[in-house]
Amino acid sequence: MRGRDLTGDLMGRLTFTEYFHLLLTGEEPTDDQRFFLDLLLVAIAEHGMMPTNVAARMTLAADPDSLHGAVAAGILGAGPVILGTSELCARLLEQTGASGGDPAAVVREVRASGGKVPGFGHPVHKPFDPRAERILELADARGVSGPHVALARRFADAVVDASGEPLTMNVSMPIAAVLLDLGFPASAVKAVPILARTAGLLAHLAEEQEHPVGFHMARAAEEAVEYER
Amino acid sequence: MRGRDLTGDLMGRLTFTEYFHLLLTGEEPTDDQRFFLDLLLVAIAEHGMMPTNVAARMTLAADPDSLHGAVAAGILGAGPVILGTSELCARLLEQTGASGGDPAAVVREVRASGGKVPGFGHPVHKPFDPRAERILELADARGVSGPHVALARRFADAVVDASGEPLTMNVSMPIAAVLLDLGFPASAVKAVPILARTAGLLAHLAEEQEHPVGFHMARAAEEAVEYER
Amino acid sequence: MRGRDLTGDLMGRLTFTEYFHLLLTGEEPTDDQRFFLDLLLVAIAEHGMMPTNVAARMTLAADPDSLHGAVAAGILGAGPVILGTSELCARLLEQTGASGGDPAAVVREVRASGGKVPGFGHPVHKPFDPRAERILELADARGVSGPHVALARRFADAVVDASGEPLTMNVSMPIAAVLLDLGFPASAVKAVPILARTAGLLAHLAEEQEHPVGFHMARAAEEAVEYER
Amino acid sequence: MRGRDLTGDLMGRLTFTEYFHLLLTGEEPTDDQRFFLDLLLVAIAEHGMMPTNVAARMTLAADPDSLHGAVAAGILGAGPVILGTSELCARLLEQTGASGGDPAAVVREVRASGGKVPGFGHPVHKPFDPRAERILELADARGVSGPHVALARRFADAVVDASGEPLTMNVSMPIAAVLLDLGFPASAVKAVPILARTAGLLAHLAEEQEHPVGFHMARAAEEAVEYER
C-alpha cells in the first residue's frame, strides 16, 4: 500500500480510521487529523430511518442473500439532497477563500439567481444542529479552527441576515470547514460521509436480518400514497 | 451487431422486442417467439408500489439528478423473493424434464428437505394469478405449449396435492415454461423480468419526477416501524 | 394499469414498446410514436465493449449469481459522459425553442463560458454518426420532423461554424429532437436510452455467463495501468 | 443512538471503529474487540486493481459527478467470488462447532458433492497468505484464539490432506474465526469486508478523480477480448 508493508507494519498498528486517511491522502494522519476524522465519521454514520436506510432494508427484504446489493442500493441515495452537500460546502469555502470573496456578497448572488447556499437548513434541528455545534466547539477547543471554519461562520451570519430568519447551519458545513482546515483536498471531502453512511447502512441491515421490517415498511409506504389519492 | 448492418438493415425494420431477442440469442425471433416475448414483458413490467418501486422513488428523491442511479437501486431488489423465481422455475423444469423425473416425487423431496417449490404462492392472487392463467391460455391457443408447459401443470397439481390446499401458480412458472418451449436457454430466462421491470421502474420514476412522493413514503415507512415498537 | 385491464386487454395486444409508451406517458402510441420509439431503442441498445458493459461483466464475474446486481452496476455508468446527453439535448432544444433563441448565439454563449454544447462530438464516428443520419432521414421520410429537428440542424451548423471544423452530431441529439417532435416531455427522454442500454447489458451478461471474460478483462485493465507507471 | 447521547457522549470519545461495533452489535467493544476489528478492516481494505476497483473507476469515468454511484458499482462486485467468503466461513465454523462435527469428515462430504470448502485457495498467495498468517499470529499472541480459530486450523489440515497438495488458507477464514471467537454473530461477519472495501474503493476513486485511468483501462479490457477472438 503506497510503498508500505501491510502485514509487517500497518496491520495491528494503524486503526481503520488512520488507514483510511493513509489510503485517501497518501499520508498517515497527525493526532488532530485522526481525532477529527473519527469525530466526523461518528457524527454522521447513523441517521435513523432516513430514506436511504428504508430503501436498503426493502432491497434486502426482496433479495435477502445479497447484503452488498442492499448496501449499494442505500448508498445510491447518498446524493446532494441527503448527504452530498459536504462537497458543495467544501467547494464554496475553497472558492470564496481563494478569491478573497465576501460571504455576504456570495449569499446575495446565489439567492438572486434562485439558488440555495449549501449547508444551511434542516427539517428537524432548528435553529441549531447539535452535531454542527459540537464539531465547531471541539475544533475551537483543540485549536484546529482556521480560515475555513471562520468563513463558515461568516456564511452562517450572512445567510441569517439575507433570509431574515434563523436558518440552521447543518452538519455538512462544519464537516467541510474542519476537513479543509486540516489539509484535506475538497475532492476528498465527500468520501467521509459515504464511508460513515456505509457503516450506518450495515448496522440497519444487520438489524433487518434479525428483525425484518422491510416489507412492512413498503406496505405502509404504499398505503400512504393510496390513501392520499 | 453480430454481423448485421445496424443502420442499413435493423433500424426501422425490427421492433425493440425483436432486437432484444436477436441480441440475447443471436437470432431474429419467429412470429411466436416475438408474440410471447412481447406478452411476457407486458405481463410483468408493472407491479404497482412494490418494494423495488418504492426504494427507487426514495432514491430519486434523495438524488434527483441521477435517474440511472434510482433505476439501479430499484433493479437491486429484483432478487429471488420478488422477481428472480423465473430462473429457478426454468432450472426446475429443465432438470426434471432432462432426468425424466416425476413432479410429485420432486415436490415431496423439496418439501422434505425444508425447501419451497419455486413458482407457487402469491400474497394477493388466490387461488389463481390471472396473468399466469392468461399466458397459459394463449400458449395453448397458439399451439406453443410443449413439454415444459405440460410439466408446469403437473407441478401445479403435485404442489396442491402435497400441501393439501389450493396454492396459486404465480406468473414466474408460465414465463419459464413458455420461454423454454419456445427454445430459450434457461440461462436467458431471467433477462426477461429484469428488462420488463426496468420499464416499470422508468415509468414510476417519470411519475416521481412530476409528482414526488418519495419522501412522503419514507416518512410513512418510518412511522410504521416506530408505532410498532 | 392506469384504468386498463392488463390480462383482458393489454396482454397479447400491445407490444412491449407500446406498453412502455403507455406506462411512461399514460397513452397508447400512434403509429409514428411506436415506429420511432422502436427505432431509437434499437439504435442505442448495443455499443460493444463500452465501459458500462465491461464494468457489468466484471461485476458478474465477481458475483455470478446476481444477474440483477451486474445489470445495476452497468446502468450506474449511464451518466452524462456516455449516455446521459439525450436529456441535456432535449432541455437545450426545449429552452431555445421556447425562448425563440438563436442557436448560433446559444453556441457562442456556451463556448464563451467554457462549456460544451451537448450532442456533438464522437470518438469514433467522424464527421458523421450513421445512426444519427439514419434517424433524421427516417424522420423526414415519415413527415415527423418538426421544429425540434429543425432546431437540431441549426445547432449542428452553428457548432461547426463556431469551432471551425467538422464536429459530428452524435446520436443523442436526434433522439431528443425526434422524441420532442413526437410529443414526449423532455423529462421522459432519458428513459429511452436507459431502457435500451439495459437490453444491451442483458445480452452482454448472457454472453458472459456462457463465455466468461470478465476476469480476463480486469487483468488486462490492471496491466495497462501498471505498464504505464 | 440506542439510548446513547451522540453529541454529548459519543462524538469525540469513540473512534469510528468503536462506533461501528456499537452500531452493529449494540455494545461498545472491549480492547480486544476493538483491536481486532481495526486489524481486520485494515487487512482487507485495499486489494489493488481488483475487478471491483476497475469497475468502479470505469463507472466514475462515465459519470464523474456521482461518486456514490461509482462506490455502489464497486460494492456490487463484493460477492462470493471476491469478498463474500468470510460469511460462508463463519457459517461453516459455527455449524461444525455446534454439531461437534469433524472437519475432515465435513471436507470429504463437501468435496464428494462437488463443492468447495470456503476460505481456501488464492490466485497469488501460495502456499501462505501473509495476511491470514499475521491475523492468526496476533490472535494467538493476545490470547484471543478460541474454539473457532482452532477449528479453522483443523480445516486447513483437512483440506490439505484431502487435496493432496498445499492449499492456501486465505484471509476470509481467519476473519471469520477471530470475529466468532470475539463474540460477533455469524450474520454480522460480512459487514466487516464490505465496510473495509468501501474505504478502499473511496481511495481508488479519489485517485481516479485526480489521475483518470478509467477509460484507458476500459479500452485495454476491450482490446484484450478482441485480440483473442
Side-chain angles (χ1 to χ4, degrees):
Chain A
M1 187 29 22
R2 303 210 188 208
R4 284 171 176 83
D5 178 355
L6 177 64
T7 51
D9 175 21
L10 307 177
M11 279 172 60
R13 180 170 70 80
L14 295 194
T15 68
F16 180 50
T17 300
E18 290 165 338
Y19 189 54
F20 179 52
H21 191 284
L22 172 60
L23 288 174
L24 205 56
T25 69
E27 289 178 16
E28 294 188 22
T30 63
D31 272 1
D32 278 336
Q33 286 171 329
R34 202 235 1 105
F35 176 85
F36 281 97
L37 192 48
D38 271 324
L39 174 75
L40 301 178
L41 288 165
V42 169
I44 52 180
E46 165 54 17
H47 282 209
M49 280 286 176
M50 69 193 311
T52 50
N53 290 330
V54 174
R57 281 174 181 258
M58 289 179 186
T59 304
L60 190 67
D63 189 10
D65 286 338
S66 184
L67 178 61
H68 53 300
V71 170
I75 286 176
L76 287 172
V81 175
I82 290 208
L83 236 170
T85 42
S86 289
E87 192 182 6
L88 298 178
C89 293
R91 299 207 181 281
L92 177 73
L93 295 174
E94 205 173 50
Q95 283 162 13
T96 311
S99 67
D102 171 29
V106 173
V107 167
R108 273 193 306 271
E109 201 180 318
V110 170
R111 290 172 59 98
S113 67
K116 273 184 58 181
V117 181
F120 295 94
H122 196 282
V124 176
H125 298 304
K126 294 174 189 174
F128 295 111
D129 179 336
R131 298 165 303 163
E133 300 300 310
R134 182 72 178 136
I135 293 168
L136 293 178
E137 188 182 292
L138 286 164
D140 290 347
R142 293 179 70 108
V144 156
S145 299
H148 296 96
V149 166
L151 206 49
R153 284 176 163 137
R154 289 175 62 201
F155 267 109
D157 292 340
V159 162
V160 171
D161 281 356
S163 69
E165 48 180 338
L167 203 54
T168 308
M169 181 199 281
N170 65 45
V171 74
S172 295
M173 185 56 88
I175 289 175
V178 167
L179 287 174
L180 291 176
D181 277 341
L182 286 165
F184 268 75
S187 64
V189 165
K190 201 183 166 186
V192 174
I194 291 179
L195 185 67
R197 292 294 305 134
T198 304
L201 278 166
L202 287 164
H204 273 272
L205 293 170
E207 201 183 84
E208 177 73 19
Q209 287 178 314
E210 284 177 50
H211 308 289
V213 295
F215 277 125
H216 177 67
M217 287 194 298
R219 263 195 307 278
E222 177 175 357
E223 282 163 15
V225 180
E226 285 178 352
Y227 287 168
E228 199 165 71
R229 284 182 172 174
Chain B
M1 186 31 29
R2 302 211 188 211
R4 283 169 175 85
D5 178 355
L6 177 63
T7 51
D9 173 21
L10 306 178
M11 280 172 60
R13 182 171 66 82
L14 295 194
T15 69
F16 181 49
T17 300
E18 289 165 339
Y19 190 54
F20 179 52
H21 190 284
L22 171 60
L23 288 173
L24 204 57
T25 69
E27 290 177 16
E28 294 188 23
T30 63
D31 272 1
D32 278 336
Q33 287 172 331
R34 203 238 356 108
F35 177 85
F36 282 98
L37 193 49
D38 271 322
L39 174 77
L40 301 179
L41 288 165
V42 169
I44 52 180
E46 165 55 17
H47 284 207
M49 280 287 175
M50 70 192 310
T52 50
N53 289 331
V54 174
R57 280 174 180 256
M58 290 180 185
T59 304
L60 189 68
D63 189 11
D65 287 338
S66 184
L67 178 61
H68 53 299
V71 171
I75 287 177
L76 288 172
V81 175
I82 290 208
L83 237 170
T85 43
S86 290
E87 192 182 5
L88 298 179
C89 293
R91 299 207 180 283
L92 177 72
L93 294 175
E94 206 174 51
Q95 284 162 14
T96 310
S99 67
D102 171 29
V106 173
V107 169
R108 274 194 304 272
E109 202 181 315
V110 170
R111 290 172 57 97
S113 66
K116 272 184 58 182
V117 181
F120 294 95
H122 196 283
V124 176
H125 298 305
K126 294 175 190 173
F128 295 111
D129 180 335
R131 299 167 301 163
E133 300 300 310
R134 182 74 178 135
I135 293 168
L136 293 178
E137 189 181 293
L138 286 164
D140 290 348
R142 293 179 71 107
V144 156
S145 299
H148 296 97
V149 167
L151 206 49
R153 285 177 162 136
R154 289 175 62 200
F155 267 110
D157 293 339
V159 162
V160 172
D161 282 355
S163 69
E165 48 180 339
L167 204 53
T168 308
M169 181 199 283
N170 64 45
V171 74
S172 296
M173 183 57 85
I175 289 175
V178 168
L179 287 174
L180 292 176
D181 276 341
L182 286 164
F184 269 75
S187 64
V189 164
K190 202 183 167 187
V192 175
I194 291 179
L195 185 67
R197 292 295 306 133
T198 303
L201 280 165
L202 286 164
H204 273 272
L205 293 169
E207 199 182 86
E208 177 74 19
Q209 285 177 315
E210 285 177 48
H211 307 289
V213 295
F215 277 124
H216 178 67
M217 287 194 299
R219 263 195 307 280
E222 178 175 356
E223 282 162 16
V225 180
E226 284 178 352
Y227 288 167
E228 198 166 72
R229 281 182 174 172
Chain C
M1 185 31 22
R2 305 213 187 206
R4 282 169 176 84
D5 179 355
L6 178 63
T7 51
D9 174 21
L10 306 177
M11 281 172 59
R13 181 170 68 82
L14 296 193
T15 69
F16 181 50
T17 299
E18 290 166 339
Y19 190 55
F20 179 51
H21 191 283
L22 171 61
L23 288 174
L24 205 57
T25 69
E27 290 177 16
E28 294 188 23
T30 63
D31 271 2
D32 277 337
Q33 287 171 330
R34 202 234 2 104
F35 177 86
F36 281 97
L37 192 48
D38 271 323
L39 174 77
L40 301 179
L41 288 165
V42 168
I44 52 181
E46 166 54 17
H47 283 207
M49 280 287 177
M50 69 192 312
T52 51
N53 290 330
V54 173
R57 281 174 180 257
M58 289 179 185
T59 304
L60 190 67
D63 188 11
D65 287 338
S66 185
L67 178 61
H68 53 299
V71 170
I75 287 176
L76 287 172
V81 175
I82 288 207
L83 238 170
T85 43
S86 290
E87 192 182 6
L88 298 178
C89 292
R91 299 205 180 283
L92 177 72
L93 294 175
E94 205 174 50
Q95 283 161 14
T96 310
S99 68
D102 171 30
V106 173
V107 168
R108 275 194 304 271
E109 202 181 315
V110 170
R111 289 172 59 99
S113 67
K116 271 184 58 181
V117 181
F120 295 95
H122 196 281
V124 176
H125 298 304
K126 293 175 191 172
F128 296 111
D129 180 335
R131 298 166 303 163
E133 300 299 311
R134 181 75 178 135
I135 293 168
L136 293 178
E137 188 181 293
L138 286 164
D140 291 348
R142 292 180 69 109
V144 155
S145 299
H148 297 96
V149 166
L151 207 49
R153 283 178 163 136
R154 289 176 62 202
F155 267 109
D157 292 340
V159 161
V160 171
D161 281 356
S163 70
E165 49 180 337
L167 202 55
T168 308
M169 181 199 283
N170 64 44
V171 76
S172 296
M173 183 57 87
I175 289 175
V178 168
L179 286 174
L180 291 176
D181 276 341
L182 286 165
F184 269 75
S187 64
V189 164
K190 201 182 167 187
V192 175
I194 292 179
L195 185 67
R197 291 296 305 134
T198 304
L201 279 165
L202 287 164
H204 273 273
L205 294 169
E207 198 182 88
E208 177 73 20
Q209 286 178 314
E210 284 176 49
H211 306 290
V213 296
F215 277 125
H216 178 67
M217 287 194 299
R219 262 194 308 278
E222 176 174 359
E223 281 163 16
V225 180
E226 284 178 352
Y227 288 166
E228 198 166 71
R229 282 181 174 173
Chain D
M1 186 30 28
R2 303 211 189 208
R4 282 170 176 84
D5 178 356
L6 177 63
T7 51
D9 174 21
L10 306 177
M11 280 171 60
R13 181 170 67 80
L14 296 194
T15 69
F16 180 50
T17 300
E18 290 165 339
Y19 190 54
F20 179 51
H21 191 284
L22 172 59
L23 287 174
L24 205 57
T25 68
E27 290 178 16
E28 293 188 23
T30 64
D31 272 2
D32 277 336
Q33 287 171 331
R34 201 233 6 102
F35 177 86
F36 281 97
L37 193 48
D38 270 324
L39 173 76
L40 300 179
L41 287 164
V42 169
I44 52 182
E46 165 53 18
H47 283 207
M49 281 287 177
M50 69 192 311
T52 51
N53 290 330
V54 173
R57 280 174 180 257
M58 289 179 186
T59 304
L60 190 67
D63 188 11
D65 287 338
S66 184
L67 178 61
H68 53 299
V71 170
I75 287 176
L76 287 173
V81 174
I82 289 206
L83 237 170
T85 43
S86 290
E87 192 182 5
L88 298 179
C89 293
R91 299 207 181 282
L92 177 73
L93 294 175
E94 205 174 49
Q95 283 161 13
T96 311
S99 67
D102 172 30
V106 172
V107 168
R108 273 194 305 271
E109 202 180 317
V110 170
R111 291 171 59 97
S113 66
K116 271 185 58 181
V117 181
F120 295 94
H122 195 282
V124 176
H125 298 303
K126 295 174 191 175
F128 295 111
D129 179 337
R131 298 166 304 161
E133 301 298 311
R134 182 72 179 137
I135 293 168
L136 293 178
E137 187 182 293
L138 286 164
D140 290 348
R142 292 179 72 108
V144 155
S145 299
H148 296 97
V149 166
L151 206 49
R153 284 176 163 137
R154 289 175 62 201
F155 267 109
D157 292 341
V159 162
V160 172
D161 281 357
S163 69
E165 48 180 337
L167 203 54
T168 307
M169 181 199 283
N170 65 44
V171 76
S172 296
M173 185 57 88
I175 289 175
V178 167
L179 286 174
L180 291 176
D181 276 342
L182 286 164
F184 268 75
S187 64
V189 163
K190 201 183 168 187
V192 174
I194 291 179
L195 185 66
R197 291 295 305 135
T198 304
L201 279 165
L202 286 163
H204 273 272
L205 293 170
E207 200 182 85
E208 177 72 20
Q209 286 178 314
E210 286 176 49
H211 307 291
V213 295
F215 277 124
H216 177 67
M217 288 194 298
R219 263 194 308 279
E222 177 175 356
E223 282 162 15
V225 180
E226 284 178 352
Y227 287 167
E228 200 165 70
R229 284 182 172 174

